[in-house]
């Protein structure tokens, strides 16, 4: 879950559950397939809540991808 969506830039929150503890990669891609944000996340429990700063992103459609061992989740969001 990524909220708010759509939004006018600024701060958004990514929330995922059902995870196993470990390292996860978070990537934000634009629709041209270019990586806009890349982070390595360490999850110690079964849920992840991450605040993301999109204040410098241009208006458009983006995908956030979180991947790890036997896990991959993708969400599309819109920046106005």
């Amino acid at each position: 879950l990524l909220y708010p969506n759509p939004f006018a830039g600024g701060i958004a929150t990514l929330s995922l559950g059902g995870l196993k503890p470990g390292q996860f990669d978070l990537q934000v891609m634009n629709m041209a397939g270019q990586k806009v944000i890349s982070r390595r996340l360490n999850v110690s429990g079964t849920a992840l809540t991450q605040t993301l700063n999109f204040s410098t992103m241009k208006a458009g459609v983006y995908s956030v991808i979180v991947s790890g061992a036997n896990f991959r989740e993708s969400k599309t969001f819109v920046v106005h």
Side-chain angles (χ1 to χ4, degrees):
L1 177 64
L2 183 70
Y3 58 92
N5 185 17
F7 65 104
I11 303 296
T13 302
L14 174 69
S15 181
L16 295 171
L19 303 175
K20 293 183 179 179
Q23 289 190 338
F24 292 83
D25 292 315
L26 179 144
Q27 296 181 353
V28 176
M29 312 287 281
N30 64 20
M31 288 295 104
Q34 298 167 316
K35 195 181 303 181
V36 179
I37 295 173
S38 181
R39 290 188 191 160
R40 169 81 33 114
L41 306 173
N42 290 309
V43 177
S44 58
T46 59
L48 166 70
T49 300
Q50 182 75 33
T51 301
L52 303 170
N53 184 349
F54 295 133
S55 61
T56 60
M57 294 176 67
K58 296 179 182 178
V61 179
Y62 296 86
S63 291
V64 60
I65 303 160
V66 178
S67 57
N70 299 317
F71 181 87
R72 181 176 171 86
E73 185 79 25
S74 176
K75 300 288 181 192
T76 301
F77 65 97
V78 177
V79 176
H80 289 292

